[in-house]
């Protein structure tokens, strides 16, 4: 089994097409196919179903893919670590974050890091917390900023708390406030909500809170990511429960009655690999940003870094 064979295998698995994979890898398609067949001989199993141009992974291929991705990613990490030995003025960091965090505090954090290390390339991948944990475990990310997860069942991953943020109800500024003062969760009964897609952390939190009060929430529309939900609320389709960090000045912000709703944001990373200097620099920059008062945290958001460092 050769490194290049694993790279070709991963490319075919991701593109589901031998010709497209060959173009991505900048190799002739017959050469790529020959290397895939050699890999199949080495592992003793067929890795792809090839039926009339429809390429799908076999069970053996599904088993090999996450292992191949880890090997490829860790090899890339090793190359980067060696290249960065001479100075910290260059490098590359692959950072994952949830859509709500990309809309909230993360841009300010990354802007501060970019000013300090302009030569380090930042690659941002936006997805849900569970998907980000999988990518981090497989080596596709160096760091991930995720929500409310202590990473159960994966000994390769570690995380530390960054901050706790309050969840609030938003409505258009042009509309009357949903209630006077703070809102009990029960006041969401019969109020149309703009709801996130399934698998979204905020959807699960909101639905579970409503069920805890004995009712099912009413959806005006569902299925959106953070940017879409904000625009739909602005258009007057309904209320939404969002982190206080994304509210800004466009919306009317209503807090929940104590104890309210909140969530913990955490920084996750691989514990079983030596991080390149650029990755360590970003990790330290994020912690420093929250620990030394640089961050202008909105009301209801509290740093957890100073107390734990």
């Amino acid at each position: 089994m050769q490194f290049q064979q694993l790279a070709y295998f991963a490319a075919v698995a991701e593109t589901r097409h031998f010709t497209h994979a060959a173009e991505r890898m900048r190799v002739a398609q017959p050469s790529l196919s020959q290397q895939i067949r050699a890999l199949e001989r080495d592992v003793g199993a067929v890795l792809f179903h090839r039926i009339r141009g429809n390429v799908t992974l076999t069970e053996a291929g599904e088993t090999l893919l996450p292992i191949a991705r880890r090997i490829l990613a860790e090899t890339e990490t090793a190359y980067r670590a060696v290249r960065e030995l001479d100075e910290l003025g260059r490098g590359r960091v692959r950072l994952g974050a949830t859509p709500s965090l990309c809309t909230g505090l993360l841009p300010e954090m990354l802007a501060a890091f970019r000013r300090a290390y302009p030569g380090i390339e930042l690659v941002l991948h936006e997805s849900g917390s569970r998907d980000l944990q999988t990518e981090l475990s497989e080596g596709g990310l160096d760091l991930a900023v995720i929500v409310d997860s202590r990473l159960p069942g994966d000994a390769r991953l570690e995380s530390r708390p960054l901050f706790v943020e309050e969840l609030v109800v938003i409505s258009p500024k042009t509309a009357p406030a949903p209630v006077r003062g703070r809102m009990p969760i029960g006041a969401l009964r019969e109020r149309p909500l703009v709801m996130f897609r399934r698998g979204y952390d905020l959807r699960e939190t909101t639905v579970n809170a409503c069920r805890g009060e004995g009712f099912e929430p009413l959806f005006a529309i569902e299925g959106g990511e953070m940017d879409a939900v904000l625009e739909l609320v602005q258009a007057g389709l309904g209320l939404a429960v969002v982190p206080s960090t994304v509210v800004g000045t466009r919306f009317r912000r209503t807090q929940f009655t104590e104890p309210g709703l909140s969530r913990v944001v955490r920084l996750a990373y691989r514990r079983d690999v030596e991080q390149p200097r650029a990755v360590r620099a970003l990790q330290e920059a994020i912690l420093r940003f929250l620990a030394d008062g640089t961050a202008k945290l909105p009301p209801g958001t509290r740093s957890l870094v100073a107390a734990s460092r």
Side-chain angles (χ1 to χ4, degrees):
M1 184 184 300
Q2 300 176 11
F3 176 83
Q4 196 64 43
Q5 291 172 341
L6 292 178
Y8 292 164
F9 163 70
V12 176
E14 291 164 6
T15 61
R16 294 294 197 268
H17 200 284
F18 278 81
T19 301
H20 294 168
E23 291 171 353
R24 173 190 289 188
M25 301 303 297
R26 297 181 180 179
V27 64
Q29 191 270 333
S31 296
L32 181 140
S33 297
Q34 182 180 9
Q35 289 299 314
I36 295 294
R37 287 193 295 271
L39 178 60
E40 290 176 323
R41 287 195 300 271
D42 288 343
V43 300
V46 175
L47 300 174
F48 295 103
H49 294 297
R50 305 166 174 87
I51 304 174
R52 297 180 182 177
N54 184 25
V55 178
T56 58
L57 287 167
T58 63
E59 183 177 358
E62 293 282 2
T63 301
L64 179 60
L65 182 58
I67 300 171
R69 283 173 170 165
R70 276 201 300 274
I71 293 172
L72 295 170
E74 289 173 7
T75 302
E76 171 63 19
T77 298
Y79 283 140
R80 285 190 291 141
V82 172
R83 288 196 300 266
E84 293 166 15
L85 283 176
D86 56 344
E87 59 178 328
L88 191 56
R90 56 193 175 92
R92 181 170 178 261
V93 184
R94 303 162 300 170
L95 175 66
T98 66
S100 60
L101 295 171
C102 290
T103 307
L105 281 177
L106 192 63
E108 189 179 354
M109 290 182 186
L110 296 184
F113 178 77
R114 182 70 176 174
R115 288 192 294 270
Y117 302 103
I120 295 179
E121 178 188 0
L122 291 173
V123 180
L124 180 62
H125 182 72
E126 187 176 349
S127 190
S129 291
R130 294 175 186 173
D131 291 340
L132 293 175
Q133 289 177 53
T134 298
E135 289 189 63
L136 188 62
S137 179
E138 293 180 352
L141 295 173
D142 299 305
L143 299 170
V145 187
I146 59 176
V147 175
D148 284 339
S149 176
R150 297 187 183 274
L151 311 173
D154 195 330
R156 291 185 295 268
L157 301 186
E158 183 65 84
S159 73
R160 64 172 299 163
L162 294 179
F163 56 91
V164 58
E165 57 183 349
E166 182 183 22
L167 302 183
V168 298
V169 177
I170 58 170
S171 54
K173 278 192 169 181
T174 54
V179 297
R180 290 185 178 181
R182 288 179 175 261
M183 171 186 286
I185 293 172
L188 293 177
R189 187 191 303 266
E190 304 301 329
R191 290 183 177 271
L193 298 179
V194 177
M195 185 50 65
F196 298 93
R197 60 170 172 80
R198 293 185 182 276
Y200 214 86
D201 303 294
L202 288 166
R203 178 190 180 109
E204 295 176 6
T205 299
T206 304
V207 170
N208 289 338
C210 292
R211 288 174 177 168
E213 294 296 314
F215 69 94
E216 289 290 327
L218 175 65
F219 299 162
I221 187 170
E222 60 177 316
E225 299 280 353
M226 178 58 69
D227 288 343
V229 166
L230 295 178
E231 292 302 322
L232 292 167
V233 171
Q234 181 73 9
L237 271 75
L239 308 177
V241 178
V242 301
S244 56
T245 50
V246 307
V247 176
T249 59
R250 287 200 298 158
F251 300 97
R252 188 183 301 277
R253 175 179 178 273
T254 302
Q255 294 174 282
F256 283 110
T257 304
E258 296 292 351
L261 295 178
S262 64
R263 65 182 194 171
V264 175
V265 174
R266 307 177 72 88
L267 179 65
Y269 48 90
R270 288 278 297 273
R271 67 166 67 179
D272 60 337
V273 297
E274 181 68 24
Q275 294 179 335
R277 294 182 66 194
V279 176
R280 297 199 303 272
L282 177 57
Q283 183 172 351
E284 285 301 313
I286 290 174
L287 297 176
R288 187 167 55 250
F289 181 83
L290 292 166
D292 64 6
T294 302
K296 298 177 181 178
L297 301 179
T301 304
R302 176 171 53 89
S303 173
L304 298 175
V305 175
S308 60
R309 293 192 73 188

